[in-house]
Amino acid sequence: MYAVEVGARGITAKSLYNLLKDLGLSRTHINAFLERTSKAALVGSFQIWLGRERSLDSGAKSPKKKNTPGTVREGGRKNCPPVDFNGENGANTDLKCSTCGKNYKRRAWYIKHLKTHNGVEARQSSVRSTTFTSDRVDPHVSHGQPLTGNHQESINIRTRLSIPNLKQSTWKVHDDNLAVLLEHPGSKQELNSQVETFQNTVYDYFSEQYPPRNHYARKNKDNSFKLKMRKKKRELIKNLRIAKALGDNHLSHQLARALRSILKLIQGISAQTAEYRDNFDRAKQEVDFDKNPFEYSKTIFKKERGQLLLTNDQIYDHFKSTYEVPKSLRRYRDPNDQKPEFPRIEFHGIPPTLEELSSQIKRKSSKSAPGPDGIPYIVFKKCPSVRKHLLNIYGKIWSGKQIPECFGKAIFVLIPKKDRVTDPKDTRPIALTNTISKIFFSVLQTRMTRFMLSNNYFKPNHQKGFLPGISGCLEHNTLLSESLKDARKSERQITVCWIDLENAFGSIQHELMLFALRWYNFPPLVRDMIASYYSKLRFSIITKEGPSKSLSYNVGLFQGCCLSPIAFNIVINILVDKLIHNEKKWGYRFKFNNKYTESILAFADDLAILTRNPKHCQVLLNEVDKFCEWTDGLRTKPSKCHCLCLGRRNTRYTSYDPGLSLGGQCISTVTENAPFKFLGRKIDNIGRTPSLEGIVDSFLNDLNKLDAGVIKMLKLWLGLALTADSSALFRGSNSFGMSLKRPSELYKHLRVSKRYILGKSHDDIVTSLPKDEDAPEMINIRSMQ
């Protein structure tokens, strides 16, 4: 006796073929034997499958039970009577199912019917117990159904509410309904339970009105007829295999012919669908362009995100080792010799008002992604009664100086910094917190910024990051470019050094932040609330398999939290004050007005040191090293720091290596082949912006030719004749035009806007920079505006 292996569908294994070959049988006999074996295995597997519920007692023979037609077994399922397989080569006989009464002339179809009839309940139970997973996972799942991925514990994340565009009258009805639902004695509840009840009430109401949908799931754009044909194709393939296994040649021929016709039909539908999609996409693009040309142009030039070539374990281990570390208990000493003066204007310590709340909500974008609560800003914008109840919760937080637990929960969405990311350090984790926490900390952040500016703790000439009414990137870049241009023109010495901080927001110790608040004389009310908030920070990381296990955030500031920018600026302002205290007019001196620039240019964590002498620049770099060592968290990254020094070397004015060092490592100089990018603007080895100046030299010298080229391409794209009147492109919508602007006119308007912003700057050095001399007509335009 030999044991051979045959599949459940009659497919023999290779071991059976090798056995017959070793026995000395010819290929013809082997194929005939395999065919008969396959038929017997197929019939036997069906008989075993139909009688799978018969229980066999060990060591005893169980009595046979008759399967009468219509008998109901456990689970309420009816069993069809067993089929008689005593036919020859699948002879055609009329077979009738005693359960449903259907007649079949083909045994293969009858077997197919029995399999479907008896296995429907098993398939339903398997579907109920199966979890669907897709390549793109929505980080927001419905309330009470958290995605856990590979881990059992995670933050409960709700599906984002998908509220359509509604009329004001509909919003009024929703507001009245929510006002009734939210009427309860909230003052008698505990803070955490009150916040949870508020969130659940708002979310459950809108989720019933507008069921949430998966924003990240791939939409099935195939039509229903094509799906039916594909389902029919799969059924034909299965029936064809059964017919071949039973040896019914006539049925196999008919099924094969039907399968070929179905395949041709599917190919025709695919071709028509592709043509329809092309026409639909073209029409949609034209509608989008007519509706808002500026927004449509942003979608064309939008850069695609990089790919995360990381496993879930790599991401989880990196964030756990970086942020879930023991909290620092270090007591920080005074870093400077001179402590800030006592505030002349006290902090605005009353609870948030309804006007502040409405003003902050109005500034928020309705398209902003919500946090774990799944409630978007549009609910708070359109429902005044919700804002009133929210104000009650904020008053309770303000009086108790304690932050609710849900305010500290966030989900991390990883943004790649490169095209192909293989290291978790090359990602930027953006924290999505609850909407009600973002509104509260927006009010607190506005008051803290006003307190720092009104008491001159922030120096807007040096630190321009995240400050209201200041275009920091434009002012810093303009000051740097004009300083380098003046140095090249007058052949004066100038030294610039750009400092890069490694994981700046994620390296701030919480004790350091609390020390900075005490250093700048914030009241105990603010310090207690912020300390309570940072003691409850927890986060989950969104991966392809869903949120990871929640981790505690014991070091660093959330990137995406409304409180993080002002908190980081307060900490880094200690360094700015220290550098300002040590420098003594070490900045660059302009030739045209003999004014000195500021030696420290900061935009949050982007720092630049601008001096005349490299020795002065090295002194300030040493102070940066001491400050990072004092913080016990911040670290510089000399490999990404750059410097640029222009001066005379051997009677020739050129750029050279000044020999600057940071943290014991030499700082590389900017070369011609590898320009450096600071605040979105590239700078080469002689202090120019190569890409921008090349565009100005090649295209903007003759703006009329540029206008003609753009008008020609617009006519071709819109399907207009080249001889058509082009005024329709630039007329307003009231005059049946497209409201576009000529490139020459747009270029002049942008330069006027830039000059206007710089003229309204609070920095005296920026306002005194040279004006645009090559476009005198723009001065008249600006005076008219």
Side-chain angles (χ1 to χ4, degrees):
M1 295 296 293
Y2 293 90
V4 296
E5 182 181 357
V6 182
R9 293 188 177 182
I11 302 175
T12 58
K14 192 176 181 181
S15 59
L16 181 58
Y17 180 87
N18 295 333
L19 174 62
L20 298 177
K21 187 177 179 181
D22 293 340
L23 293 176
L25 297 179
S26 62
R27 182 176 297 178
T28 305
H29 290 85
I30 291 176
N31 293 335
F33 185 84
L34 291 178
E35 185 177 358
R36 292 195 298 269
T37 307
S38 298
K39 292 180 181 179
L42 181 62
V43 173
S45 62
F46 278 143
Q47 289 178 344
I48 295 173
W49 185 84
L50 292 174
R52 64 191 182 282
E53 290 187 353
R54 298 177 182 176
S55 60
L56 297 177
D57 297 332
S58 59
K61 189 175 181 180
S62 60
K64 294 185 179 180
K65 296 182 181 180
K66 294 184 179 180
N67 296 331
T68 57
T71 303
V72 180
R73 295 256 183 115
E74 294 182 1
R77 187 188 70 215
K78 294 182 178 180
N79 280 341
C80 291
V83 63
D84 183 16
F85 291 97
N86 297 326
E88 294 182 2
N89 298 329
N92 297 338
T93 56
D94 291 338
L95 301 173
K96 182 178 180 180
C97 178
S98 59
T99 303
C100 58
K102 290 185 178 180
N103 295 322
Y104 292 92
K105 292 186 178 180
R106 293 291 177 182
R107 182 177 290 109
W109 297 350
Y110 182 59
I111 295 173
K112 173 78 173 176
H113 170 70
L114 294 180
K115 182 177 179 182
T116 306
H117 225 347
N118 288 275
V120 62
E121 184 176 337
R123 287 198 304 271
Q124 290 177 354
S125 62
S126 63
V127 169
R128 287 193 297 266
S129 61
T130 303
T131 303
F132 175 77
T133 58
S134 60
D135 293 338
R136 302 185 68 183
V137 179
D138 186 5
H140 304 88
V141 297
S142 59
H143 174 55
Q145 297 177 0
L147 284 176
T148 56
N150 294 332
H151 308 282
Q152 297 298 326
E153 300 177 4
S154 64
I155 296 176
N156 187 13
I157 305 172
R158 296 167 171 165
T159 307
R160 177 180 178 177
L161 290 175
S162 55
I163 303 175
N165 295 329
L166 303 175
K167 296 181 180 179
Q168 191 62 31
S169 58
T170 308
W171 278 112
K172 182 66 171 58
V173 175
H174 291 327
D175 185 39
D176 296 339
N177 295 337
L178 285 173
V180 176
L181 293 174
L182 292 174
E183 285 183 357
H184 58 83
S187 58
K188 297 181 181 179
Q189 284 185 320
E190 188 187 359
L191 179 60
N192 291 322
S193 61
Q194 183 180 356
V195 174
E196 185 178 357
T197 303
F198 173 81
Q199 290 180 333
N200 293 341
T201 304
V202 175
Y203 183 86
D204 293 341
Y205 173 77
F206 281 102
S207 62
E208 291 178 0
Q209 300 291 330
Y210 312 101
R213 56 187 174 88
N214 193 344
H215 290 262
Y216 294 85
R218 183 179 179 181
K219 296 181 180 179
N220 189 4
K221 298 184 179 180
D222 294 333
N223 53 39
S224 59
F225 182 72
K226 186 177 179 180
L227 293 176
K228 292 180 181 178
M229 291 298 101
R230 286 181 174 176
K231 184 178 180 181
K232 188 67 176 177
K233 182 191 72 171
R234 292 192 292 267
E235 292 178 356
L236 287 174
I237 291 175
K238 291 181 180 179
N239 292 335
L240 182 60
R241 290 176 179 174
I242 295 175
K244 288 183 178 180
L246 295 176
D248 195 339
N249 298 328
H250 179 69
L251 178 60
S252 301
H253 178 70
Q254 290 181 349
L255 292 176
R257 187 169 56 183
L259 181 61
R260 285 193 296 268
S261 61
I262 289 293
L263 291 176
K264 289 182 181 180
L265 185 59
I266 292 176
Q267 290 177 359
I269 295 174
S270 300
Q272 292 178 1
T273 305
E275 183 180 359
Y276 171 78
R277 286 179 180 176
D278 293 340
N279 296 335
F280 178 80
D281 291 343
R282 180 177 297 180
K284 186 177 182 302
Q285 289 178 6
E286 292 178 359
V287 171
D288 293 341
F289 179 79
D290 295 340
K291 185 177 180 181
N292 194 334
F294 180 71
E295 291 292 334
Y296 176 76
S297 62
K298 290 199 300 185
T299 60
I300 294 177
F301 300 104
K302 186 178 180 180
K303 186 179 179 181
E304 296 183 358
R305 288 185 179 179
Q307 296 180 353
L308 289 176
L309 305 178
L310 299 169
T311 62
N312 297 337
D313 293 336
Q314 288 178 335
I315 297 174
Y316 180 78
D317 294 341
H318 167 74
F319 281 91
K320 183 176 182 180
S321 60
T322 304
Y323 299 109
E324 198 173 48
V325 295
K327 282 196 173 185
S328 175
L329 301 177
R330 177 180 173 181
R331 295 292 180 181
Y332 290 90
R333 298 181 180 179
D334 296 348
N336 300 336
D337 298 333
Q338 185 178 2
K339 190 174 181 178
E341 299 179 354
F342 284 99
R344 296 172 296 175
I345 301 176
E346 296 294 334
F347 185 83
H348 193 52
I350 65 174
T353 61
L354 188 60
E355 291 76 14
E356 287 180 306
L357 202 64
S358 302
S359 176
Q360 293 295 335
I361 293 174
K362 187 178 180 180
R363 297 177 185 176
K364 304 298 182 181
S365 174
S366 300
K367 298 180 181 179
S368 179
D373 57 356
I375 304 175
Y377 283 114
I378 190 67
V379 175
F380 302 96
K381 288 185 176 183
K382 298 294 185 179
C383 300
S385 62
V386 177
R387 294 199 294 266
K388 292 180 181 179
H389 286 83
L390 193 62
L391 189 66
N392 182 22
I393 294 175
Y394 290 166
K396 198 169 184 179
I397 294 173
W398 202 271
S399 59
K401 302 180 185 179
Q402 291 294 320
I403 302 296
E405 295 285 345
C406 65
F407 279 30
K409 296 180 180 180
I411 51 178
F412 275 14
V413 179
L414 303 182
I415 306 298
K417 296 182 181 179
K418 300 180 180 179
D419 295 336
R420 297 175 64 86
V421 176
T422 57
D423 189 356
K425 294 182 180 180
D426 294 331
T427 60
R428 181 177 288 108
I430 302 300
L432 302 179
T433 56
N434 289 332
T435 305
I436 59 175
S437 67
K438 286 190 262 190
I439 298 173
F440 176 79
F441 288 121
S442 296
V443 176
L444 183 60
Q445 177 260 346
T446 303
R447 293 188 179 184
M448 293 173 66
T449 305
R450 190 185 303 121
F451 175 77
M452 294 290 291
L453 288 173
S454 59
N455 293 289
N456 294 326
Y457 292 149
F458 278 155
K459 308 299 189 298
N461 293 354
H462 301 273
Q463 176 62 268
K464 299 181 185 293
F466 309 122
L467 298 182
I470 298 178
S471 300
C473 295
L474 177 61
E475 294 184 12
H476 277 338
N477 279 328
T478 304
L479 181 60
L480 271 176
S481 61
E482 291 297 333
S483 301
L484 293 170
K485 186 188 297 184
D486 185 82
R488 293 197 309 269
K489 188 175 180 180
S490 60
E491 296 188 353
R492 292 189 173 188
Q493 189 175 25
I494 186 173
T495 304
V496 186
C497 183
W498 295 275
I499 303 173
D500 182 82
L501 297 176
E502 183 179 0
N503 192 19
F505 274 76
S507 302
I508 299 295
Q509 299 287 348
H510 295 169
E511 285 296 329
L512 174 62
M513 181 191 56
L514 297 177
F515 169 81
L517 295 177
R518 292 192 301 270
W519 181 256
Y520 289 106
N521 303 306
F522 276 91
L525 170 67
V526 179
R527 300 201 304 265
D528 293 344
M529 284 193 297
I530 294 179
S532 173
Y533 171 61
Y534 279 96
S535 65
K536 301 174 182 178
L537 295 185
R538 298 193 67 83
F539 69 97
S540 290
I541 311 163
I542 296 299
T543 61
K544 290 184 178 181
E545 298 181 4
S548 66
K549 182 181 177 181
S550 61
L551 298 171
S552 58
Y553 201 77
N554 296 333
V555 60
L557 310 174
F558 279 164
Q559 296 189 47
C561 175
C562 299
L563 189 63
S564 297
I566 182 63
F568 183 84
N569 275 357
I570 292 173
V571 173
I572 209 69
N573 198 63
I574 300 175
L575 172 62
V576 175
D577 289 345
K578 190 176 184 64
L579 297 178
I580 293 173
H581 180 69
N582 290 333
E583 65 100 4
K584 304 173 183 178
K585 289 188 177 182
W586 287 350
Y588 176 75
R589 184 179 181 182
F590 284 103
K591 183 179 180 180
F592 68 93
N593 59 4
N594 291 328
K595 288 187 177 181
Y596 288 92
T597 65
E598 304 295 348
S599 58
I600 310 301
L601 306 178
F603 189 92
D605 60 328
D606 295 318
L607 303 177
I609 297 177
L610 175 61
T611 60
R612 300 187 307 276
N613 197 327
K615 295 182 180 179
H616 299 159
C617 186
Q618 185 61 54
V619 173
L620 297 179
L621 289 176
N622 295 337
E623 294 295 333
V624 173
D625 261 339
K626 294 179 182 178
F627 174 78
C628 292
E629 185 179 356
W630 172 78
T631 60
D632 192 22
L634 287 174
R635 298 181 302 274
T636 58
K637 203 169 185 179
S639 60
K640 289 191 176 182
C641 298
H642 294 79
C643 65
L644 174 63
C645 187
L646 300 177
R648 286 194 170 273
R649 308 293 288 179
N650 298 328
T651 68
R652 181 186 175 187
Y653 186 80
T654 182
S655 61
Y656 64 93
D657 187 3
L660 300 177
S661 62
L662 183 63
Q665 300 182 24
C666 295
I667 300 177
S668 60
T669 58
V670 180
T671 61
E672 183 179 1
N673 298 328
F676 177 72
K677 192 174 183 180
F678 178 69
L679 297 179
R681 188 169 184 175
K682 291 184 178 180
I683 300 175
D684 61 2
N685 61 330
I686 55 176
R688 296 183 303 181
T689 306
S691 59
L692 181 61
E693 294 188 3
I695 293 175
V696 173
D697 295 338
S698 58
F699 291 101
L700 299 181
N701 290 334
D702 195 348
L703 295 177
N704 294 328
K705 290 184 179 180
L706 182 63
D707 287 347
V710 170
I711 292 173
K712 179 180 178 181
M713 297 306 298
L714 283 174
K715 289 181 178 179
L716 291 175
W717 189 63
L718 294 174
L720 301 177
L722 296 179
T723 57
D725 186 14
S726 60
S727 61
L729 301 173
F730 309 106
R731 289 199 303 263
S733 58
N734 297 332
S735 302
F736 305 99
M738 300 185 65
S739 302
L740 299 179
K741 289 186 178 180
R742 298 179 184 272
S744 57
E745 183 182 358
L746 180 62
Y747 173 65
K748 293 178 181 179
H749 283 198
L750 292 175
R751 295 186 66 181
V752 170
S753 301
K754 175 184 174 181
R755 189 66 253 172
Y756 179 79
I757 293 173
L758 296 177
K760 292 294 183 179
S761 174
H762 301 284
D763 193 344
D764 297 335
I765 306 298
V766 175
T767 55
S768 64
L769 293 177
K771 309 297 186 295
D772 293 320
E773 300 177 357
D774 53 346
E777 69 275 7
M778 291 194 298
I779 301 177
N780 298 329
I781 299 175
R782 188 179 63 179
S783 62
M784 291 174 60
Q785 291 181 348

